[in-house]
Amino acid sequence: MTIAQIISNRIGISEKQVAAVLSLLDEGATVPFIARYRKERTGSMDEMQIAAVMAEQERLEELIARKQTILRTIEEQGKLTDALRKQIDDTWDAATLEDLYLPYKPHRKTRADMAREKGLEPLAKQLMAQSPTLQPEQAASRFLLTPDGSRLTEEEALQGARDIIAEWVNESQNARNAIRREFDYSAMITSKVVKAKQTDEGAEQYNDYFDAKDRLSRIQSHRLLAMRRGEAEGFLRIDISPDQQKAMEKLDRIFLKGNNACTEQVSMAVEDAYKRLLKPAIETEYAAAAKLKADEEAIRVFADNARELLLAAPLGQKRVLAIDPGFRTGCKVVCLSAQGDLLHHSVIYPVPPKNDIAGATKELKMLLSKFAIEAIAIGNGTASRETETFVSRMLDGLGIDDVDVFVVSESGASVYSAGAVAREEFPNEDITVRGAVSIGRRLMDPLAELVKIDPKSIGVGQYQHDVDQAKLKNALTMTVESVVNKVGVDVNTASKHLLTYISGIGPALAQNIVSYRTANGPFESRKALLKVPKLGAKTFEQAAGFLRVSGSNNPLDNTAVHPERYALVEQMAKDAGCSINELIQQDEKRKSIDIQRYISAEAGLPTLQDILKELDKPSRDPRGKAEMFRFSDEVHEIEDLREGMQLPGIVTNITAFGAFVDLGVHQDGLIHISKMKGKKLHLGQQLQVTVIEVDLRRRRISLTL
């Protein structure tokens, strides 16, 4: 069976499509490039499907490497038969492969090993045969003298024989598969509080899991991850067990052949094998599988949230005054040019404890005028609500109605401001100024600013520190790459951090592009990119369609049309009797095109439809425009909330169990998934909610749509 066939069977995509993706990946193509510009070869597979093929390919490559290790180890032992080699070669299931390897796997000396050293394996074989005429004690009496000269009692000999039988049971594929089926059908996961730590600081957060029980196959990812965190911190003890009686019945049907004295010995060995060997091993296996499943769900939620945050609507190139609010240390203020350059910074104290309203008003009034400010961005952290109220009242009092006020997420801003990227950008400014700049730039272009931050630090997931960190990083990197390439970037204004995520480029080439741009001025066309050191034809093929050159003589350079299709568009324009510019600007010219005439093996209907869609709205930003939002003036603290209140809110986080909503009271409320009324919410969504319950002691707010 080929790799393409195996992947096709596993993920339900045709073998032909899988083979096409594998071939393109082997040629060095990236996921965004394949999804956008190679639809004819893949049958229009999307990024998620292509990523699934990649993931399966990586798993299979790991399995193949594991097979080679196993074959080599068994061969070194001189125990590799042709039949065993074929079994291993034909196996594509990791658990089955490990079962085949188990009898040959190097391990510490076991009870069965010690029993064999005492010469008890023949006795174990006699008992295993379960002859009705054989008396176990009588059979054991012939094995009391060991090879080293020591003597055993009959019970010691029988115990040793049972240890050997227990190992045979444990190494039996039939037995292991039988227990796996029982785990599949009936396994329950339970968590109990560790009594000695029940009253310790931090234990209360796991109160819901002090005596919890869930079916393993159905447990929600957040519950499993919470249990595991509680166990790791020493507050909980977790157990995963199937129905023991049914598990034992399955094993008995495999190993017990009658009802005699030898059968009783085998039955004891089977029970011991289950409790001491099989159950712990399969429990570990299923715990790992459940953790993997929970990780994948948590990573998916995190990646989805990160995607929505990265795709947040930009305000665009406007002159922005940004405020990083604070109580005791004051509110850090920066003024930014329309290009995001830092023009000024200062500190105001309009909130407690200083309450310098007059001084803050004087400073902001001057800055608004001096820098012709068009919008104000306020971070949503400490003192955000108080600062937003002050600013709104100040603008109303001054009669200024042409400056919009936006509350901006601060998640990850502190990570950025203390990091290497911020130090490189603002070596002479402290972290408070850098943080305020980040808030302002996030309003102007969230994507361009957020790519400078480790996606894990954005803070829009659940249990991100408890999941597989390598898989989380990989998923988030792919998410950022997907978003950056979906939006596209202007090669003449993009930072090296943004360029890094463009298909085929990476950090080194991104720096080369910026350095070339600095030394030689703006790129005049996409083709000019080929002058960048180490940016060859293959990289140009992967990257060009996602880079924009707004000032180029060729209007297609500022669209998502790939340069390899320029000749095709030129032919369309020629056939329509117009220039490319006229084809873009005149709707009737585009409608006159019969795309069936242009279908070829390289450019099929999907590509042609994409081209016309792009010509219809060239270089359109898919993110829309930033919208203003204002909290209710009725509430400022959690104590102001009352059941039944209807309030505006903004979604700050989506989890598997619900959505968190900022109401402007310094504590997000939760819309439990059962209260969403079947609606799918998204990060940054503005909505109306109703307060169901307020728990002041635990500072929990329950909401419904």
Side-chain angles (χ1 to χ4, degrees):
M1 189 178 288
T2 66
I3 297 294
Q5 287 174 321
I6 296 167
I7 295 175
S8 173
N9 292 338
R10 287 187 178 181
I11 65 177
I13 294 173
S14 79
E15 183 186 344
K16 182 180 177 183
Q17 288 175 293
V18 171
V21 170
L22 294 177
S23 176
L24 284 162
L25 291 171
D26 192 49
E27 293 168 15
T30 66
V31 173
F33 177 80
I34 295 170
R36 172 79 190 191
Y37 297 114
R38 291 296 179 263
K39 292 181 177 180
E40 283 72 25
R41 284 182 66 175
T42 69
S44 296
M45 287 172 64
D46 61 31
E47 288 188 4
M48 289 188 66
Q49 292 172 312
I50 296 164
V53 172
M54 279 183 66
E56 284 300 324
Q57 182 187 28
E58 288 171 6
R59 275 193 279 268
L60 288 174
E61 286 174 351
E62 289 175 6
L63 192 66
I64 290 168
R66 180 64 176 155
K67 283 185 181 188
Q68 297 308 312
T69 300
I70 288 172
L71 286 168
R72 186 169 58 252
T73 303
I74 299 174
E75 191 166 32
E76 287 170 356
Q77 297 172 13
K79 298 177 181 178
L80 184 61
T81 65
D82 290 342
L84 180 57
R85 180 186 291 277
K86 187 176 188 311
Q87 272 188 294
I88 292 171
D89 285 341
D90 291 346
T91 297
W92 294 100
D93 175 72
T96 304
L97 180 63
E98 295 302 326
D99 285 352
L100 290 170
Y101 181 42
L102 187 59
Y104 311 96
K105 190 174 186 178
H107 53 249
R108 287 177 296 180
K109 187 178 286 188
T110 65
R111 283 164 47 173
D113 290 333
M114 290 185 280
R116 288 190 185 93
E117 290 175 358
K118 294 172 183 175
L120 297 173
E121 189 159 26
L123 175 59
K125 289 179 179 177
Q126 290 177 22
L127 296 177
M128 198 67 174
Q130 300 173 57
S131 169
T133 60
L134 182 68
Q135 292 303 312
E137 290 78 8
Q138 185 179 357
S141 67
R142 296 194 290 273
F143 295 91
L144 302 183
L145 185 62
T146 66
D148 65 4
S150 61
R151 290 193 65 83
L152 304 173
T153 65
E154 289 179 355
E155 178 51 36
E156 286 172 339
L158 289 172
Q159 178 61 62
R162 292 197 297 268
D163 288 341
I164 294 171
I165 293 171
E167 188 171 272
W168 290 340
V169 171
N170 181 51
E171 292 176 352
S172 163
Q173 271 191 276
N174 286 341
R176 297 179 80 83
N177 287 333
I179 299 305
R180 285 189 184 107
R181 285 193 293 273
E182 195 53 50
F183 264 83
D184 286 335
Y185 180 73
S186 66
M188 305 294 293
I189 179 169
T190 58
S191 64
K192 301 281 186 182
V193 66
V194 176
K195 297 292 185 183
K197 300 198 69 173
Q198 187 169 354
T199 57
D200 286 7
E201 184 180 353
E204 186 181 357
Q205 63 181 310
Y206 300 109
N207 189 59
D208 292 344
Y209 305 100
F210 280 2
D211 188 13
K213 190 173 186 178
D214 291 90
R215 188 173 288 278
L216 183 64
S217 60
R218 298 177 189 165
I219 188 169
Q220 294 172 302
S221 67
H222 66 276
R223 285 183 62 81
L224 179 70
L225 292 171
M227 285 181 181
R228 287 183 62 101
R229 180 187 287 181
E231 183 180 47
E233 294 179 1
F235 297 114
L236 303 175
R237 192 169 288 116
I238 296 176
D239 176 73
I240 299 173
S241 295
D243 185 310
Q244 182 171 322
Q245 182 180 342
K246 290 180 179 177
M248 287 304 305
E249 287 172 358
K250 280 184 164 65
L251 293 178
D252 288 347
R253 282 196 292 272
I254 295 171
F255 296 104
L256 304 190
K257 301 176 182 178
N259 185 18
N260 55 60
C262 288
T263 302
E264 187 177 336
Q265 292 289 322
V266 174
S267 177
M268 292 166 64
V270 169
E271 184 175 356
D272 174 52
Y274 174 74
K275 292 180 178 178
R276 182 169 58 86
L277 302 172
L278 266 175
K279 194 266 183 180
I282 304 301
E283 179 182 4
T284 299
E285 186 180 304
Y286 272 69
K291 171 66 163 53
L292 177 63
K293 182 180 176 183
D295 279 5
E296 288 175 348
E297 174 61 15
I299 289 170
R300 182 194 63 76
V301 169
F302 198 116
D304 286 349
N305 284 345
R307 175 180 292 275
E308 290 180 356
L309 191 60
L310 292 165
L311 283 171
L315 180 66
Q317 293 191 329
K318 299 286 182 71
R319 294 178 295 279
V320 170
L321 183 149
I323 304 175
D324 185 359
F327 287 113
R328 184 181 55 82
T329 57
C331 300
K332 276 63 69 179
V333 179
V334 298
C335 295
L336 305 176
S337 72
Q339 289 72 43
D341 298 321
L342 176 62
L343 305 175
H344 169 88
H345 65 83
S346 56
V347 182
I348 58 175
Y349 299 88
V351 297
K354 290 196 175 181
N355 290 313
D356 182 14
I357 303 294
T361 300
K362 180 180 178 182
E363 173 73 3
L364 291 191
K365 181 180 178 183
M366 181 272 292
L367 295 177
L368 291 172
S369 173
K370 180 178 180 179
F371 296 104
I373 296 299
E374 298 172 273
I376 296 175
I378 301 172
N380 70 342
T382 305
S384 172
R385 188 66 202 282
E386 292 79 2
T387 304
E388 187 260 341
T389 300
F390 157 71
V391 169
S392 295
R393 288 175 179 171
M394 181 204 72
L395 293 176
D396 289 343
L398 295 173
I400 298 174
D401 57 9
D402 58 349
V403 176
D404 293 333
V405 180
F406 299 84
V407 176
V408 179
S409 170
E410 288 185 14
S411 293
S414 59
V415 175
Y416 161 79
S417 60
V421 175
R423 290 197 301 272
E424 181 184 333
E425 288 189 291
F426 302 104
N428 300 318
E429 307 296 347
D430 66 26
I431 60 173
T432 61
V433 173
R434 297 171 191 161
V437 171
S438 181
I439 289 168
R441 286 178 173 177
R442 283 189 193 199
L443 174 62
M444 298 164 73
D445 191 340
L447 178 58
E449 194 63 20
L450 289 171
V451 293
K452 301 174 185 176
I453 303 169
D454 179 353
K456 191 173 69 174
S457 301
I458 294 175
V460 289
Q462 56 174 346
Y463 299 103
Q464 58 261 36
H465 300 292
D466 300 281
V467 303
D468 185 305
Q469 295 302 293
K471 289 183 178 178
L472 175 63
K473 183 178 181 180
N474 183 55
L476 292 178
T477 298
M478 289 188 68
T479 298
V480 178
E481 287 175 352
S482 171
V483 171
V484 171
N485 288 285
K486 177 184 176 71
V487 173
V489 304
D490 188 326
V491 72
N492 285 322
T493 60
S495 69
K496 69 177 182 182
H497 311 288
L498 195 56
L499 288 168
T500 293
Y501 290 101
I502 287 293
S503 169
I505 289 183
L509 269 179
Q511 181 60 61
N512 287 359
I513 291 170
V514 172
S515 298
Y516 185 90
R517 188 176 71 196
T518 302
N520 299 280
F523 291 95
E524 295 179 353
S525 66
R526 276 176 171 163
K527 190 178 290 185
L529 284 161
L530 289 166
K531 297 177 183 177
V532 174
K534 298 185 179 179
L535 198 158
K538 186 63 181 180
T539 300
F540 182 80
E541 176 194 61
Q542 295 296 309
F546 305 108
L547 297 171
R548 310 282 184 265
V549 184
S550 57
S552 173
N553 290 329
N554 187 337
L556 296 179
D557 280 350
N558 197 33
T559 72
V561 177
H562 197 282
E564 65 188 7
R565 302 291 170 235
Y566 282 9
L568 179 60
V569 178
E570 288 165 3
Q571 187 61 51
M572 288 180 179
K574 183 179 179 181
D575 293 345
C578 64
S579 66
I580 292 176
N581 261 326
E582 290 170 331
L583 190 63
I584 291 172
Q585 294 164 3
Q586 298 178 25
D587 186 46
E588 65 273 12
K589 294 289 187 184
R590 292 192 302 278
K591 287 181 177 177
S592 72
I593 294 172
D594 177 10
I595 59 174
Q596 297 292 333
R597 292 178 53 194
Y598 304 97
I599 292 176
S600 66
E602 293 76 27
L605 196 58
T607 292
L608 293 168
Q609 289 172 333
D610 282 348
I611 288 172
L612 286 183
K613 194 182 298 182
E614 185 62 23
L615 295 178
D616 185 44
K617 294 179 179 176
S619 206
R620 179 190 59 173
D621 193 319
R623 297 173 293 175
K625 289 292 181 183
E627 295 179 1
M628 285 184 61
F629 175 82
R630 192 160 186 173
F631 292 115
S632 168
D633 289 331
E634 286 185 70
V635 297
H636 292 82
E637 305 291 339
I638 189 172
E639 290 79 9
D640 297 333
L641 297 177
R642 298 290 181 270
E643 290 182 20
M645 273 187 168
Q646 293 188 357
L647 301 167
I650 188 162
V651 178
T652 58
N653 199 5
I654 304 285
T655 70
F657 53 86
F660 287 94
V661 179
D662 186 359
L663 303 174
V665 296
H666 309 295
Q667 178 65 51
D668 287 356
L670 173 67
I671 307 177
H672 190 268
I673 195 166
S674 62
K675 304 295 183 184
M676 286 190 182
K677 304 179 180 179
K679 293 185 179 179
K680 180 175 172 57
L681 305 181
H682 60 81
L683 217 63
Q685 183 173 346
Q686 300 176 15
L687 37 70
Q688 287 289 122
V689 295
T690 300
V691 179
I692 301 175
E693 182 183 3
V694 183
D695 184 339
L696 293 177
R697 185 180 69 84
R698 299 171 76 185
R699 300 195 68 78
R700 290 187 177 180
I701 306 165
S702 298
L703 308 169
T704 186
L705 288 176

